[in-house]
Amino acid sequence: MTASRPDHRPAPRPGQRPPWHVTDALALRYAEGTAAETDAWSLEKHVETCAACAGRVSAAVRAGAAGPALAAVRAELLSSLGHRPAPAAAAGNPLGRWARLWWAVGPALRGSWVVALVLVVGGAFGLAYGAGSRGAGGLLLAVSPVLPLAGVAVSYGRHADPLYEITAATPSGGLRLLLTRTAAVLGVCVPLLTAGGALLPPVAGLPGAAAWLLPGLALTLATLALGSFVGCRAAALTLGGGWLLAVTGPLLGGPDADPGAGAAALAPYFSGSAVQGGWAAAALACAALLVLRRRSFDHLEPR
């Protein structure tokens, strides 16, 4: 069994150099600006990957002479973004933690995208049960794969995130943050759209309510992969617009349109194991390209 050190890091093997970490003395010198230049460089590089040392250095800086100035800059920045600090009594409140999580997952879930998503599902129900349209299920199925793209487009990038330049420069920014916010978007889309499609009146020949999942995943990953070249917003507009032109055109025949014709128009995009297998293969290919292009998200998007 490998011995453990008091700080829960495994002991170095024989002949192996022990891992280097920032000491309290070095953190204090760095905060005071008296650390040697080489030591400061080593510290700044090390804290990019070591959360414990990053916390130690952050605490030393906040406790030093620069602490009040940094706190004032932070408060002014949050105020300019409309953030209201929570009362101190609510610090341990579970609702307060959920509010912070809601803020962290991205602009998409705090903006108009969620409202638009609910309106799309509500509009489908209105057409089906209010206007008597039998093609509402086909319309909802057709637009479902591109709705996550809209959420991704307004979640990340210089046109969507007021703190984009700051977050892109942090170790937790880039592709890691983008995937976190994409997962949050899918976490809202998948249950809402699938349940909404299942509750609409069934139409003979129309693919099932879950048939959009693999196309939606493939298009989302394609947006992220293409976004590594042109930015998320441009990628979402390109792929989403192309999908809508190809799929929804035959369905826009009005409330009295033949639902059988709509089902036949959607079949080449959703129905059959071969089609779904093709979407799965496309999703894997886009994921592989995204892995190869992951470093591109460490740089700022083009203007």
Side-chain angles (χ1 to χ4, degrees):
M1 180 180 296
T2 303
S4 297
R5 300 171 63 185
D7 57 2
H8 305 290
R9 293 190 298 268
R13 296 177 180 177
Q16 182 183 16
R17 295 181 60 185
W20 179 84
H21 289 278
V22 178
T23 64
D24 292 334
L26 177 56
L28 180 59
R29 293 199 305 272
Y30 179 82
E32 295 174 346
T34 59
E37 189 173 5
T38 53
D39 291 341
W41 287 348
S42 299
L43 180 148
E44 291 169 356
K45 182 64 177 178
H46 178 73
V47 297
E48 292 180 1
T49 56
C50 182
C53 290
R56 184 177 297 115
V57 173
S58 179
V61 173
R62 289 198 304 269
L70 292 175
V73 171
R74 179 179 182 275
E76 183 177 354
L77 177 61
L78 292 177
S79 176
S80 67
L81 296 174
H83 176 69
R84 297 293 183 269
N93 190 335
L95 294 178
R97 290 194 293 269
W98 279 108
R100 291 194 296 272
L101 177 61
W102 179 260
W103 180 264
V105 293
L109 302 189
R110 304 191 304 269
S112 58
W113 174 76
V114 173
V115 177
L117 182 65
V118 173
L119 288 177
V120 168
V121 178
F125 274 83
L127 286 174
Y129 294 105
S133 172
R134 299 175 59 197
L139 283 172
L140 181 62
L141 180 64
V143 300
S144 290
V146 298
L147 290 175
L149 275 58
V152 172
V154 297
S155 290
Y156 191 80
R158 65 172 68 254
H159 301 289
D161 193 344
L163 297 177
Y164 171 67
E165 284 81 2
I166 297 175
T167 55
T170 63
S172 60
L175 182 59
R176 177 181 175 182
L177 180 60
L178 177 57
L179 290 178
T180 300
R181 293 181 173 180
T182 300
V185 167
L186 292 175
V188 174
C189 278
V190 169
L192 183 60
L193 294 175
T194 305
L199 294 175
L200 289 174
V203 175
L206 188 69
W212 74 274
L213 294 177
L214 277 176
L217 178 61
L219 288 173
T220 300
L221 290 173
T223 298
L224 299 181
L226 181 60
S228 68
F229 295 96
V230 299
C232 291
R233 188 175 72 162
L237 288 173
T238 300
L239 294 175
W243 172 269
L244 292 176
L245 287 175
V247 177
T248 61
L251 302 176
L252 299 179
D256 299 326
D258 182 10
L266 292 176
Y269 302 96
F270 295 99
S271 297
S273 57
V275 174
Q276 292 290 323
W279 284 117
L284 290 175
C286 292
L289 178 59
L290 184 61
V291 170
L292 293 176
R293 293 282 301 168
R294 62 188 182 277
R295 296 300 179 190
S296 64
F297 293 99
D298 296 337
H299 310 288
L300 296 178
E301 284 183 352
R303 292 187 180 274

Coordinates of all heavy atoms in Angstrom, one line a residue, residues 86-179:
A86 N -25.8 38.2 -2.3 CA -26.8 37.5 -1.4 C -26.5 38.0 0.0 O -25.4 38.3 0.4 CB -26.6 36.0 -1.5
P87 N -27.6 38.1 0.8 CA -27.4 38.4 2.2 C -26.5 37.4 2.9 O -26.5 36.2 2.6 CB -28.8 38.4 2.8 CG -29.7 38.5 1.6 CD -29.0 37.9 0.4
A88 N -25.8 37.8 4.0 CA -24.9 36.9 4.7 C -25.6 35.8 5.3 O -25.1 34.7 5.4 CB -24.1 37.7 5.7
A89 N -26.9 36.0 5.7 CA -27.6 34.9 6.4 C -27.9 33.8 5.4 O -28.2 32.7 5.9 CB -28.9 35.5 7.0
A90 N -27.9 34.1 4.1 CA -28.3 33.1 3.2 C -27.1 32.3 2.6 O -27.2 31.5 1.7 CB -29.0 33.7 2.0
A91 N -25.9 32.5 3.2 CA -24.7 31.9 2.7 C -24.8 30.4 2.8 O -24.3 29.7 1.9 CB -23.5 32.4 3.5
G92 N -25.4 29.8 3.8 CA -25.5 28.4 3.9 C -26.9 27.9 3.5 O -27.2 26.7 3.7
N93 N -27.7 28.7 2.9 CA -29.0 28.3 2.4 C -28.9 27.5 1.2 O -28.2 27.9 0.2 CB -29.8 29.6 2.1 CG -31.3 29.3 1.9 OD1 -31.6 28.2 1.5 ND2 -32.1 30.2 2.2
P94 N -29.5 26.3 1.1 CA -29.4 25.5 -0.2 C -29.9 26.3 -1.4 O -29.4 26.1 -2.5 CB -30.3 24.3 0.2 CG -30.3 24.2 1.7 CD -30.2 25.6 2.1
L95 N -31.0 27.2 -1.2 CA -31.5 27.9 -2.3 C -30.4 28.9 -2.8 O -30.3 29.2 -4.0 CB -32.7 28.7 -1.9 CG -33.9 27.8 -1.6 CD1 -35.1 28.7 -1.1 CD2 -34.3 27.0 -2.7
G96 N -29.6 29.4 -1.9 CA -28.5 30.3 -2.3 C -27.5 29.6 -3.2 O -26.9 30.1 -4.2
R97 N -27.2 28.3 -2.8 CA -26.2 27.5 -3.6 C -26.8 27.2 -5.0 O -26.1 27.2 -6.0 CB -25.9 26.2 -2.8 CG -25.0 26.4 -1.6 CD -24.4 25.2 -1.1 NE -25.5 24.2 -0.6 CZ -25.8 24.2 0.7 NH1 -25.3 25.0 1.5 NH2 -26.8 23.3 1.0
W98 N -28.1 26.9 -5.0 CA -28.7 26.7 -6.3 C -28.7 27.9 -7.2 O -28.5 27.8 -8.4 CB -30.1 26.2 -6.1 CG -30.2 24.7 -5.8 CD1 -30.6 24.1 -4.6 CD2 -30.0 23.6 -6.7 NE1 -30.5 22.8 -4.7 CE2 -30.2 22.4 -6.0 CE3 -29.6 23.6 -8.1 CZ2 -30.0 21.2 -6.6 CZ3 -29.4 22.3 -8.6 CH2 -29.6 21.1 -7.9
A99 N -28.9 29.1 -6.6 CA -28.8 30.3 -7.3 C -27.4 30.6 -7.9 O -27.3 31.0 -9.1 CB -29.2 31.5 -6.4
R100 N -26.4 30.3 -7.1 CA -25.0 30.4 -7.6 C -24.8 29.4 -8.8 O -24.1 29.8 -9.8 CB -24.0 30.2 -6.5 CG -24.0 31.4 -5.5 CD -22.8 31.3 -4.6 NE -22.8 30.1 -3.8 CZ -23.3 30.0 -2.6 NH1 -24.0 31.0 -2.1 NH2 -23.2 28.9 -1.9
L101 N -25.3 28.2 -8.6 CA -25.1 27.2 -9.7 C -25.8 27.7 -11.0 O -25.3 27.6 -12.1 CB -25.7 25.9 -9.2 CG -25.6 24.7 -10.3 CD1 -24.2 24.5 -10.7 CD2 -26.3 23.5 -9.7
W102 N -27.0 28.2 -10.8 CA -27.8 28.8 -11.9 C -27.0 29.9 -12.6 O -27.0 30.0 -13.9 CB -29.2 29.3 -11.4 CG -30.1 29.8 -12.5 CD1 -30.2 31.1 -12.7 CD2 -30.9 29.1 -13.4 NE1 -31.1 31.3 -13.8 CE2 -31.5 30.1 -14.2 CE3 -31.1 27.8 -13.6 CZ2 -32.4 29.7 -15.2 CZ3 -32.0 27.4 -14.6 CH2 -32.7 28.4 -15.4
W103 N -26.4 30.7 -11.8 CA -25.6 31.8 -12.4 C -24.4 31.2 -13.2 O -23.9 31.8 -14.2 CB -25.1 32.8 -11.4 CG -24.3 33.9 -11.9 CD1 -23.0 34.0 -11.9 CD2 -24.8 35.1 -12.5 NE1 -22.6 35.1 -12.5 CE2 -23.7 35.9 -12.8 CE3 -26.1 35.6 -12.7 CZ2 -23.8 37.1 -13.5 CZ3 -26.2 36.8 -13.3 CH2 -25.0 37.6 -13.7
A104 N -23.8 30.2 -12.7 CA -22.5 29.6 -13.2 C -22.7 28.9 -14.5 O -21.8 28.8 -15.3 CB -21.8 28.7 -12.2
V105 N -23.9 28.3 -14.7 CA -24.1 27.4 -15.9 C -24.1 28.2 -17.2 O -24.0 27.6 -18.3 CB -25.3 26.6 -15.8 CG1 -25.2 25.6 -14.7 CG2 -26.6 27.4 -15.6
G106 N -24.3 29.5 -17.2 CA -24.2 30.3 -18.4 C -25.3 31.2 -18.7 O -26.4 31.1 -18.1
P107 N -25.1 32.1 -19.6 CA -26.1 33.1 -20.0 C -27.3 32.5 -20.6 O -28.4 33.1 -20.5 CB -25.4 34.0 -21.0 CG -23.9 33.8 -20.7 CD -23.8 32.4 -20.3
A108 N -27.2 31.3 -21.3 CA -28.4 30.8 -21.9 C -29.5 30.5 -21.0 O -30.7 30.8 -21.3 CB -28.0 29.5 -22.7
L109 N -29.2 29.9 -19.8 CA -30.3 29.5 -18.9 C -30.7 30.7 -18.1 O -31.7 30.6 -17.3 CB -29.8 28.4 -18.0 CG -29.3 27.1 -18.7 CD1 -29.1 26.0 -17.7 CD2 -30.3 26.7 -19.7
R110 N -30.1 31.9 -18.2 CA -30.6 33.1 -17.5 C -31.2 34.1 -18.4 O -31.7 35.1 -18.0 CB -29.4 33.7 -16.8 CG -28.6 32.8 -15.8 CD -27.7 33.6 -15.0 NE -26.8 34.4 -15.8 CZ -25.6 34.0 -16.2 NH1 -25.2 32.8 -15.9 NH2 -24.8 34.7 -16.9
G111 N -31.2 33.8 -19.7 CA -31.7 34.8 -20.7 C -33.0 34.4 -21.3 O -33.8 33.6 -20.8
S112 N -33.2 34.9 -22.6 CA -34.4 34.7 -23.3 C -34.5 33.3 -23.9 O -35.6 32.9 -24.4 CB -34.6 35.8 -24.3 OG -33.5 35.7 -25.2
W113 N -33.4 32.6 -24.0 CA -33.5 31.3 -24.7 C -34.4 30.3 -24.0 O -35.2 29.6 -24.7 CB -32.1 30.7 -24.7 CG -32.1 29.3 -25.3 CD1 -32.2 29.0 -26.6 CD2 -32.0 28.1 -24.6 NE1 -32.2 27.6 -26.8 CE2 -32.1 27.0 -25.6 CE3 -31.9 27.7 -23.3 CZ2 -32.0 25.7 -25.2 CZ3 -31.8 26.4 -22.9 CH2 -31.9 25.4 -23.9
V114 N -34.4 30.2 -22.7 CA -35.4 29.3 -22.0 C -36.8 29.7 -22.3 O -37.7 28.9 -22.5 CB -35.1 29.3 -20.5 CG1 -36.1 28.5 -19.8 CG2 -33.7 28.7 -20.2
V115 N -37.1 31.0 -22.3 CA -38.4 31.5 -22.6 C -38.8 31.1 -24.0 O -39.9 30.6 -24.2 CB -38.5 33.0 -22.4 CG1 -39.9 33.6 -22.8 CG2 -38.1 33.4 -21.0
A116 N -37.9 31.2 -25.0 CA -38.2 30.9 -26.3 C -38.4 29.4 -26.4 O -39.3 28.9 -27.2 CB -37.0 31.3 -27.2
L117 N -37.7 28.6 -25.7 CA -37.9 27.1 -25.7 C -39.2 26.7 -25.2 O -39.9 25.9 -25.8 CB -36.8 26.5 -24.9 CG -36.8 24.9 -24.8 CD1 -36.5 24.3 -26.1 CD2 -35.7 24.5 -23.8
V118 N -39.7 27.3 -24.1 CA -41.0 27.1 -23.6 C -42.1 27.5 -24.5 O -43.1 26.9 -24.7 CB -41.1 27.7 -22.2 CG1 -42.6 27.6 -21.7 CG2 -40.2 27.1 -21.2
L119 N -41.9 28.7 -25.2 CA -42.8 29.2 -26.1 C -43.0 28.2 -27.3 O -44.1 28.0 -27.9 CB -42.5 30.6 -26.6 CG -42.6 31.7 -25.6 CD1 -42.2 33.0 -26.2 CD2 -44.1 31.8 -25.2
V120 N -41.9 27.6 -27.8 CA -41.9 26.7 -28.9 C -42.8 25.5 -28.5 O -43.7 25.0 -29.3 CB -40.5 26.2 -29.3 CG1 -40.6 25.1 -30.3 CG2 -39.8 27.4 -30.0
V121 N -42.5 24.9 -27.3 CA -43.3 23.7 -26.9 C -44.8 24.2 -26.7 O -45.7 23.4 -27.1 CB -42.7 23.1 -25.6 CG1 -43.5 22.0 -25.1 CG2 -41.3 22.7 -25.9
G122 N -45.0 25.3 -26.0 CA -46.3 25.8 -25.8 C -47.1 26.1 -27.1 O -48.3 25.8 -27.2
G123 N -46.3 26.6 -28.1 CA -46.9 26.8 -29.4 C -47.4 25.6 -30.1 O -48.4 25.5 -30.7
A124 N -46.6 24.5 -29.9 CA -46.9 23.2 -30.5 C -48.2 22.7 -29.9 O -49.1 22.2 -30.6 CB -45.8 22.2 -30.4
F125 N -48.3 22.8 -28.6 CA -49.5 22.4 -27.9 C -50.7 23.2 -28.3 O -51.8 22.7 -28.4 CB -49.3 22.4 -26.4 CG -48.7 21.2 -25.8 CD1 -47.3 21.1 -25.8 CD2 -49.5 20.2 -25.2 CE1 -46.7 19.9 -25.3 CE2 -48.9 19.1 -24.7 CZ -47.5 18.9 -24.7
G126 N -50.5 24.5 -28.5 CA -51.6 25.4 -28.9 C -52.1 25.0 -30.3 O -53.3 25.0 -30.6
L127 N -51.2 24.7 -31.2 CA -51.6 24.3 -32.6 C -52.3 23.0 -32.5 O -53.3 22.8 -33.3 CB -50.3 24.2 -33.5 CG -49.7 25.5 -33.9 CD1 -48.4 25.2 -34.7 CD2 -50.7 26.3 -34.8
A128 N -51.8 22.1 -31.7 CA -52.4 20.7 -31.7 C -53.8 20.7 -31.0 O -54.8 20.1 -31.5 CB -51.5 19.7 -31.0
Y129 N -53.9 21.3 -29.8 CA -55.1 21.2 -29.0 C -56.0 22.4 -29.2 O -57.2 22.3 -28.9 CB -54.8 21.0 -27.6 CG -54.1 19.6 -27.3 CD1 -52.7 19.6 -27.1 CD2 -54.8 18.5 -27.4 CE1 -52.1 18.4 -26.9 CE2 -54.2 17.2 -27.2 CZ -52.8 17.2 -26.9 OH -52.2 16.0 -26.7
G130 N -55.5 23.6 -29.6 CA -56.3 24.8 -29.7 C -56.7 25.0 -31.2 O -57.9 25.2 -31.4
A131 N -55.8 24.8 -32.1 CA -56.2 25.1 -33.5 C -56.5 23.8 -34.3 O -56.9 23.8 -35.4 CB -55.0 25.8 -34.3
G132 N -56.3 22.6 -33.6 CA -56.7 21.4 -34.2 C -55.7 20.9 -35.3 O -56.1 20.1 -36.2
S133 N -54.5 21.5 -35.3 CA -53.5 21.1 -36.3 C -52.9 19.7 -36.0 O -52.4 19.5 -34.9 CB -52.4 22.1 -36.4 OG -51.3 21.7 -37.2
R134 N -53.0 18.8 -37.0 CA -52.4 17.5 -36.8 C -50.9 17.4 -37.1 O -50.3 16.4 -36.9 CB -53.2 16.5 -37.6 CG -54.7 16.4 -37.3 CD -55.4 15.5 -38.3 NE -54.9 14.1 -38.2 CZ -55.1 13.2 -39.2 NH1 -55.8 13.6 -40.3 NH2 -54.6 12.0 -39.1
G135 N -50.4 18.5 -37.6 CA -49.0 18.5 -38.0 C -48.1 19.1 -37.0 O -46.9 19.3 -37.2
A136 N -48.7 19.5 -35.8 CA -47.8 20.2 -34.8 C -46.7 19.3 -34.3 O -45.6 19.7 -34.0 CB -48.7 20.6 -33.6
G137 N -47.0 18.0 -34.1 CA -45.9 17.0 -33.7 C -44.8 17.0 -34.6 O -43.6 16.9 -34.2
G138 N -45.1 17.0 -35.9 CA -44.0 17.0 -36.9 C -43.2 18.3 -36.9 O -42.0 18.3 -37.0
L139 N -43.8 19.4 -36.7 CA -43.1 20.7 -36.6 C -42.2 20.7 -35.4 O -41.0 21.2 -35.5 CB -44.1 21.9 -36.5 CG -44.7 22.3 -37.9 CD1 -45.8 23.3 -37.6 CD2 -43.7 22.8 -38.8
L140 N -42.7 20.3 -34.2 CA -41.9 20.2 -33.0 C -40.7 19.3 -33.2 O -39.6 19.6 -32.8 CB -42.7 19.8 -31.8 CG -41.9 19.8 -30.5 CD1 -41.4 21.2 -30.1 CD2 -42.8 19.3 -29.4
L141 N -40.9 18.1 -33.8 CA -39.8 17.2 -34.0 C -38.8 17.8 -35.0 O -37.6 17.6 -34.8 CB -40.4 15.9 -34.6 CG -39.4 14.8 -34.9 CD1 -38.7 14.3 -33.6 CD2 -40.1 13.6 -35.6
A142 N -39.3 18.5 -36.0 CA -38.3 19.1 -37.0 C -37.4 20.2 -36.4 O -36.2 20.2 -36.7 CB -39.1 19.7 -38.1
V143 N -37.9 21.0 -35.5 CA -37.1 22.1 -34.9 C -36.4 21.7 -33.7 O -35.4 22.4 -33.3 CB -38.0 23.3 -34.6 CG1 -38.7 23.8 -35.9 CG2 -39.0 23.0 -33.5
S144 N -36.7 20.5 -33.1 CA -36.1 20.1 -31.8 C -34.5 20.0 -31.9 O -33.8 20.4 -31.0 CB -36.7 18.8 -31.3 OG -38.0 19.0 -30.9
P145 N -34.0 19.4 -33.0 CA -32.5 19.3 -33.1 C -31.7 20.6 -33.1 O -30.6 20.6 -32.7 CB -32.3 18.5 -34.4 CG -33.6 17.7 -34.6 CD -34.6 18.7 -34.1
V146 N -32.4 21.7 -33.5 CA -31.6 22.9 -33.6 C -31.8 23.8 -32.4 O -31.1 24.8 -32.3 CB -32.0 23.7 -34.9 CG1 -31.6 22.9 -36.1 CG2 -33.5 24.1 -34.9
L147 N -32.8 23.5 -31.5 CA -33.0 24.4 -30.4 C -31.8 24.3 -29.4 O -31.4 25.4 -28.8 CB -34.3 23.9 -29.6 CG -35.6 24.3 -30.4 CD1 -36.8 23.7 -29.7 CD2 -35.7 25.8 -30.6
P148 N -31.1 23.2 -29.2 CA -29.9 23.2 -28.4 C -28.8 24.1 -29.0 O -28.0 24.7 -28.3 CB -29.4 21.8 -28.3 CG -30.7 21.0 -28.5 CD -31.5 21.8 -29.5
L149 N -28.8 24.2 -30.3 CA -27.8 25.0 -31.0 C -28.0 26.5 -30.6 O -27.0 27.2 -30.4 CB -27.9 24.9 -32.5 CG -27.1 23.7 -33.2 CD1 -27.6 22.4 -32.6 CD2 -27.3 23.8 -34.7
A150 N -29.2 26.9 -30.5 CA -29.5 28.3 -30.1 C -29.0 28.6 -28.7 O -28.4 29.6 -28.4 CB -31.0 28.6 -30.2
G151 N -29.2 27.6 -27.8 CA -28.7 27.7 -26.4 C -27.2 27.8 -26.4 O -26.6 28.6 -25.6
V152 N -26.5 27.0 -27.2 CA -25.0 27.0 -27.2 C -24.6 28.4 -27.7 O -23.6 29.0 -27.2 CB -24.5 25.9 -28.1 CG1 -23.0 26.0 -28.3 CG2 -24.8 24.5 -27.4
A153 N -25.2 28.9 -28.8 CA -24.8 30.2 -29.4 C -24.9 31.3 -28.4 O -24.0 32.2 -28.5 CB -25.7 30.5 -30.6
V154 N -25.8 31.3 -27.5 CA -25.9 32.4 -26.5 C -25.3 32.1 -25.2 O -25.5 32.8 -24.2 CB -27.4 32.8 -26.3 CG1 -28.0 33.3 -27.6 CG2 -28.2 31.7 -25.8
S155 N -24.5 31.0 -25.1 CA -23.9 30.6 -23.8 C -22.5 31.0 -23.7 O -21.9 31.1 -22.6 CB -24.0 29.1 -23.6 OG -25.3 28.7 -23.4
Y156 N -21.8 31.0 -24.9 CA -20.3 31.2 -24.8 C -19.9 32.0 -26.0 O -20.4 31.9 -27.1 CB -19.7 29.8 -24.9 CG -18.2 29.9 -24.5 CD1 -17.7 29.9 -23.2 CD2 -17.2 29.8 -25.5 CE1 -16.4 30.0 -22.9 CE2 -15.9 29.9 -25.2 CZ -15.5 29.9 -23.9 OH -14.1 30.0 -23.6
G157 N -18.9 32.8 -25.8 CA -18.3 33.7 -26.9 C -18.4 35.1 -26.5 O -19.1 35.6 -25.7
R158 N -17.7 35.9 -27.3 CA -17.6 37.4 -27.0 C -18.9 38.0 -27.3 O -19.2 39.1 -26.7 CB -16.5 38.0 -27.9 CG -16.7 38.0 -29.3 CD -15.7 38.8 -30.1 NE -14.3 38.3 -30.0 CZ -13.4 38.8 -29.2 NH1 -13.6 39.8 -28.4 NH2 -12.2 38.3 -29.2
H159 N -19.8 37.5 -28.1 CA -21.1 38.1 -28.3 C -22.2 37.7 -27.3 O -23.3 38.3 -27.3 CB -21.6 37.7 -29.7 CG -20.6 38.1 -30.8 ND1 -20.4 39.4 -31.2 CD2 -19.8 37.4 -31.6 CE1 -19.6 39.5 -32.2 NE2 -19.1 38.2 -32.5
A160 N -21.9 36.7 -26.5 CA -22.9 36.2 -25.6 C -22.5 36.4 -24.1 O -23.4 36.6 -23.3 CB -23.1 34.7 -25.8
D161 N -21.3 36.3 -23.7 CA -20.8 36.3 -22.3 C -20.1 37.6 -22.0 O -19.1 37.9 -22.6 CB -19.9 35.2 -22.1 CG -19.7 34.9 -20.6 OD1 -20.0 35.8 -19.8 OD2 -19.2 33.8 -20.2
P162 N -20.7 38.5 -21.1 CA -20.0 39.7 -20.8 C -18.6 39.5 -20.2 O -17.8 40.4 -20.3 CB -21.0 40.4 -19.8 CG -22.3 39.7 -20.0 CD -22.0 38.3 -20.4
L163 N -18.4 38.4 -19.6 CA -17.1 38.1 -19.0 C -16.2 37.2 -19.8 O -15.3 36.5 -19.3 CB -17.3 37.5 -17.6 CG -18.0 38.4 -16.5 CD1 -18.2 37.6 -15.2 CD2 -17.2 39.6 -16.3
Y164 N -16.5 37.2 -21.1 CA -15.8 36.2 -22.0 C -14.3 36.3 -22.0 O -13.6 35.3 -21.8 CB -16.3 36.4 -23.4 CG -15.5 35.5 -24.4 CD1 -15.6 34.2 -24.4 CD2 -14.7 36.2 -25.4 CE1 -14.8 33.4 -25.3 CE2 -14.0 35.4 -26.3 CZ -14.0 34.0 -26.2 OH -13.3 33.3 -27.1
E165 N -13.8 37.5 -22.1 CA -12.3 37.7 -22.1 C -11.7 37.2 -20.8 O -10.6 36.7 -20.8 CB -11.9 39.2 -22.4 CG -12.1 39.6 -23.8 CD -13.5 40.0 -24.2 OE1 -14.4 39.9 -23.3 OE2 -13.8 40.3 -25.3
I166 N -12.4 37.4 -19.7 CA -11.8 37.0 -18.4 C -11.9 35.5 -18.3 O -10.9 34.8 -17.9 CB -12.6 37.7 -17.3 CG1 -12.4 39.2 -17.3 CG2 -12.1 37.2 -15.9 CD1 -13.2 40.0 -16.3
T167 N -13.1 34.9 -18.6 CA -13.2 33.5 -18.4 C -12.3 32.7 -19.4 O -11.8 31.6 -19.0 CB -14.7 33.0 -18.6 OG1 -15.1 33.5 -19.9 CG2 -15.6 33.7 -17.5
A168 N -12.1 33.2 -20.6 CA -11.3 32.5 -21.5 C -9.8 32.4 -21.1 O -9.1 31.5 -21.5 CB -11.4 33.1 -22.9
A169 N -9.4 33.4 -20.2 CA -8.0 33.4 -19.8 C -7.8 32.6 -18.5 O -6.7 32.5 -18.1 CB -7.6 34.9 -19.5
T170 N -8.8 32.0 -17.9 CA -8.7 31.3 -16.7 C -8.5 29.8 -17.0 O -8.9 29.3 -18.1 CB -9.9 31.4 -15.8 OG1 -11.1 30.9 -16.5 CG2 -10.2 32.9 -15.5
P171 N -7.9 29.0 -16.1 CA -7.7 27.6 -16.3 C -9.0 26.8 -16.5 O -9.1 25.8 -17.2 CB -7.0 27.1 -15.1 CG -6.3 28.3 -14.5 CD -7.2 29.4 -14.9
S172 N -10.1 27.3 -16.0 CA -11.4 26.6 -16.1 C -12.2 27.1 -17.3 O -13.3 26.7 -17.5 CB -12.2 26.8 -14.8 OG -12.5 28.2 -14.6
G173 N -11.6 28.0 -18.1 CA -12.3 28.5 -19.3 C -12.1 27.6 -20.5 O -11.8 26.5 -20.4
G174 N -12.3 28.2 -21.7 CA -12.1 27.4 -22.9 C -13.1 26.3 -23.0 O -14.3 26.4 -22.7
L175 N -12.7 25.1 -23.6 CA -13.6 24.0 -23.9 C -14.2 23.5 -22.6 O -15.4 23.0 -22.7 CB -12.8 22.9 -24.6 CG -13.6 21.7 -25.0 CD1 -14.7 22.1 -26.0 CD2 -12.7 20.7 -25.7
R176 N -13.5 23.5 -21.5 CA -14.1 22.9 -20.3 C -15.4 23.7 -19.9 O -16.4 23.1 -19.6 CB -13.1 23.0 -19.2 CG -13.6 22.5 -17.8 CD -12.6 22.7 -16.7 NE -13.1 22.3 -15.4 CZ -12.4 22.4 -14.3 NH1 -11.1 22.8 -14.4 NH2 -12.9 22.1 -13.1
L177 N -15.3 25.0 -19.9 CA -16.5 25.8 -19.6 C -17.6 25.7 -20.7 O -18.8 25.6 -20.4 CB -16.1 27.3 -19.4 CG -17.2 28.3 -19.1 CD1 -17.9 27.9 -17.8 CD2 -16.7 29.7 -19.0
L178 N -17.2 25.6 -21.9 CA -18.1 25.5 -23.0 C -18.9 24.2 -22.9 O -20.1 24.1 -23.1 CB -17.4 25.6 -24.4 CG -18.3 25.4 -25.6 CD1 -19.4 26.4 -25.7 CD2 -17.4 25.5 -26.9
L179 N -18.2 23.1 -22.6 CA -18.9 21.8 -22.4 C -19.8 21.8 -21.2 O -20.9 21.2 -21.2 CB -17.9 20.7 -22.3 CG -17.0 20.3 -23.5 CD1 -16.0 19.3 -23.2 CD2 -18.0 19.9 -24.7

